Amino acid sequence: MNARDLDSLTIAGLAAEISNREISPVEVTGLFLERIEQVNPTLNAYVTVTADNARADARKAEEEIAHGRYRGPLHGIPFSIKDNIATKGVRTTAGSKILANWIPDFDATVVTKLKEAGAVILGKTNLHEWALGGTTINPFYGTTHNPWDLTRIAGGSSGGSAAAVAASLCLGSVGTDSAQSVRNPASMCGVVGLKATYGRISQHGTVAGTGAYSCNHTGLLTRNVEDTALVLEALAGRDPNDPLSADRPVAKYTESIGKSVKGLRVGILRGYFEEVMTREVRDIFYAAMETLQQLGMEIEEVTTPHMDLIPAVKVCTSRVENASAHDRNLRARSRDYSPPTRNAYLAALLVPASAYIMAQRVRRIICDEFHELLRKVQILALPTVGFAVPAIVECEQGWLDIDGKKIRRQDERGGTDSLTAIPFNVTGFPAMSVPCGFAKTATPIGMQIASGPFQEELIFSVAHAYEQATDWHKRRPPIDVS
Amino acid sequence: MKDSVQRLNAEYGLNLSDEEIEVIAKQAEAGQRLFQTLFEVDVEGIAPALKIDPAERQ
């Protein structure tokens, strides 16, 4: 095996070879670390590479497997972790200056579970400052570049994770998603990103203030749908350390792969986000819907009466919950935030409690309406982001071009790139972004496949069927490692 | 809103410049306009959706 072979690896494929002892975890880990050394200075996907730990974990995995103690499909598989998820003994910055030197003395539950499954952790990935934004243009740790086009953003806030998976700098990554933060960069980098149902994966160890308590989710990024199913099986479940985690049995998600999707009803979600959707994205998305139809699914357009209020509910909820986590730092270290981030938190401190409670009341109406939708359709679909991957310079200037119309990248409703994703943060419904085409800029476009609470199995069946009917997930960015 | 930011500035010891106060006040005002739409909804009999509800976790 050589560095070029890494592009074709998947977790499921590599797991089979590792369990058969055809490939050594030590060899694989060495190749990934070599590639990180070559490519990361250009992409800036990792902020910390834990090469020594990774080599030690790989040696341990190899020894265990040699002695017949194979732990399962993540044993010896190289992973990365978003840098707002606590890792014992390894710096965890949350993309902030304030935590620049924080070395946790504990692992987040998802990290513990990954380690128990025998995964090899290669390092920590870059993110937007405090995960508050969708570009991963980070004033303290630099910008993560999109592997498909280095002049463009990788999305965010888990931009480093998505870029690392896309560029073969790991095979899976764990991120967080409070507004879009796993699905958006997955879409922009051409990989699969899952935000499971609220509470499905423990959030214990996610840095407070990197996502609103009631909207945030631990999420997964991999190269294909089957790999995501494998990782979710390992990481999902009730956690006594996370009072908001769900006490529900964990399904065997890989068994959903390959199940018939004929006759399933898919609702194309219509709403406010269409004003920031380009014709190009719409056309690519509707072509994907035709593929679903060819696979035997029934397609119709759906919406809800209070759809337009989702941004107000989301922004009000997120601002207030996030600001509460930052109160102490705002008092003591306000100059250690970038001005836009500090200003957003300070403005949030002025939101009246009555607005927050009203947002939660309207949120219940919205959730009820989404449950009602599920009486008509089993799957919801819409583009992950309304426009093609923007250039870094456009984001720095703060403007986007939507079919010739100049719009602000960020307004009072939050990032325009998040508008398509937030319905599933407000409702907590599971949603997955899968690659569904390429823009004329040769950068990936993704679509979301969502369903009702704890209906991840349906999502896996539909997403996998779509993936098998297309080849978008097999394409790799043009990175020169010669 | 500027007054509220100034009070926050004093209480939190932020040492914000006039320009910064202006920016934050404008941002807070824009948020308030957005949140005003929530108060136009008929929420009679609707309890807040709180994630600490056991029902939300089932």
Side-chain angles (χ1 to χ4, degrees):
Chain A
M1 184 186 271
N2 62 43
R4 284 182 189 282
D5 296 329
L6 300 185
D7 276 343
S8 57
L9 289 182
T10 62
I11 293 175
L14 182 60
E17 293 183 285
I18 286 179
S19 70
N20 293 336
R21 298 181 62 194
E22 288 166 34
I23 293 181
S24 134
V26 174
E27 184 192 350
V28 170
T29 299
L31 286 172
F32 273 97
L33 289 171
E34 215 172 278
R35 188 166 168 111
I36 290 169
E37 206 171 300
Q38 288 174 315
V39 176
N40 197 54
T42 307
L43 288 186
N44 196 31
Y46 282 85
V47 290
T48 304
V49 178
T50 51
D52 291 345
N53 291 352
R55 285 196 188 94
D57 290 346
R59 279 194 299 273
K60 188 179 169 201
E62 186 158 295
E63 208 177 290
E64 286 179 344
I65 294 163
H67 287 87
R69 294 198 299 273
Y70 181 63
R71 298 192 195 194
L74 304 191
H75 206 172
I77 303 291
F79 270 82
S80 64
I81 308 284
K82 186 178 181 181
D83 206 24
N84 65 335
I85 297 176
T87 40
K88 187 176 180 179
V90 176
R91 183 177 77 140
T92 300
T93 67
S96 72
K97 186 177 177 184
I98 289 171
L99 297 181
N101 299 310
W102 183 49
I103 298 176
D105 59 2
F106 71 103
D107 277 326
T109 298
V110 282
V111 175
T112 302
K113 285 192 167 195
L114 270 183
K115 287 180 176 175
E116 284 170 358
V120 174
I121 295 168
L122 301 175
K124 307 295 295 287
T125 51
N126 198 15
L127 66 151
H128 209 96
E129 181 189 6
W130 291 107
L132 188 70
T135 66
T136 316
I137 297 174
N138 187 304
F140 309 112
Y141 304 95
T143 297
T144 296
H145 297 261
N146 193 305
W148 292 91
D149 179 343
L150 298 174
T151 68
R152 297 180 186 274
I153 61 166
S157 64
S158 312
S161 289
V165 172
S168 304
L169 306 185
C170 62
L171 285 183
S173 191
V174 181
T176 58
D177 186 320
S178 175
Q180 60 172 340
S181 287
V182 160
R183 291 161 289 154
N184 166 298
S187 170
M188 291 192 178
C189 292
V191 300
V192 174
L194 173 71
K195 178 202 84 61
T197 307
Y198 182 84
R200 180 69 295 183
I201 306 177
S202 168
Q203 289 188 72
H204 170 67
T206 296
V207 174
T210 60
Y213 296 103
S214 70
C215 301
N216 209 5
H217 304 68
T218 304
L220 314 173
L221 300 103
T222 66
R223 286 177 162 175
N224 66 30
V225 175
E226 184 184 13
D227 283 1
T228 301
L230 284 169
V231 183
L232 184 62
E233 279 176 14
L235 300 192
R238 168 97 177 118
D239 175 13
N241 289 319
D242 177 1
L244 299 173
S245 64
D247 194 7
R248 301 264 301 212
V250 176
K252 189 89 178 137
Y253 298 109
T254 42
E255 287 176 1
S256 320
I257 303 292
K259 274 201 176 160
S260 171
V261 292
K262 274 190 185 152
L264 283 178
R265 294 188 306 279
V266 178
I268 297 173
L269 202 58
R270 304 286 311 266
Y272 60 90
F273 35 76
E274 289 168 30
E275 68 187 74
V276 292
M277 199 174 286
T278 60
R279 182 175 299 280
E280 179 181 48
V281 166
R282 198 186 307 259
D283 290 349
I284 288 170
F285 170 73
Y286 274 88
M289 292 301 101
E290 273 177 34
T291 304
L292 295 190
Q293 224 160 6
Q294 285 157 11
L295 289 165
M297 288 172 254
E298 293 166 25
I299 312 286
E300 61 179 293
E301 294 186 339
V302 296
T303 192
T304 62
H306 290 88
M307 180 74 72
D308 287 356
L309 290 173
I310 285 178
V313 169
K314 173 65 179 65
V315 170
C316 184
T317 305
S318 281
R319 284 195 183 166
V320 170
E321 293 182 5
N322 251 331
S324 84
H326 284 277
D327 193 89
R328 185 181 295 179
N329 284 328
L330 286 170
R331 289 173 191 272
R333 300 184 62 177
S334 68
R335 295 285 160 188
D336 288 340
Y337 292 89
S338 71
T341 301
R342 178 203 59 197
N343 294 349
Y345 294 144
L346 290 175
L349 290 173
L350 301 174
V351 177
S354 59
Y356 178 80
I357 293 298
M358 190 57 81
Q360 304 320 306
R361 297 177 80 185
V362 176
R363 187 181 196 176
R364 188 179 292 280
I365 294 174
I366 290 167
C367 288
D368 289 347
E369 289 173 353
F370 267 71
H371 278 285
E372 193 61 31
L373 269 187
L374 293 175
R375 293 160 74 97
K376 287 171 71 181
V377 296
Q378 291 123 325
I379 291 287
L380 297 168
L382 76 162
T384 308
V385 185
F387 40 85
V389 183
I392 292 168
V393 67
E394 283 180 284
C395 296
E396 285 170 342
Q397 290 166 354
W399 295 93
L400 294 172
D401 185 310
I402 303 290
D403 291 340
K405 206 166 115 190
K406 213 174 166 192
I407 61 157
R408 281 190 295 152
R409 211 196 68 76
Q410 184 90 21
D411 64 18
E412 61 280 4
R413 297 176 302 175
T416 47
D417 41 14
S418 72
L419 293 176
T420 35
I422 56 175
F424 306 114
N425 297 89
V426 166
T427 58
F429 283 23
M432 176 188 283
S433 178
V434 292
C436 69
F438 279 78
K440 53 183 181 292
T441 51
T443 51
I445 300 290
M447 70 162 161
Q448 292 177 95
I449 298 172
S451 192
F454 304 102
Q455 297 295 312
E456 281 84 359
E457 289 154 287
L458 266 181
I459 295 176
F460 281 120
S461 296
V462 172
H464 184 259
Y466 174 77
E467 199 179 64
Q468 295 310 298
T470 59
D471 74 346
W472 310 117
H473 66 292
K474 290 183 180 160
R475 301 193 186 187
R476 295 289 176 259
I479 292 171
D480 185 12
V481 288
S482 54
Chain B
M1 193 59 81
K2 251 173 106 170
D3 289 350
S4 302
V5 181
Q6 270 158 349
R7 275 198 297 276
L8 199 63
N9 189 26
E11 188 194 332
Y12 279 58
L14 299 167
N15 295 317
L16 296 170
S17 67
D18 288 346
E19 198 185 330
E20 287 171 329
I21 288 170
E22 187 85 35
V23 169
I24 296 162
K26 274 193 181 152
Q27 202 167 326
E29 278 162 12
Q32 263 195 358
R33 280 195 298 277
L34 178 68
F35 306 149
Q36 201 49 48
T37 57
L38 299 171
F39 289 87
E40 289 158 19
V41 179
D42 178 7
V43 289
E44 184 71 33
I46 305 289
L50 297 175
K51 292 293 177 185
I52 54 170
D53 288 356
E56 291 287 331
R57 289 189 271 136
Q58 296 309 304

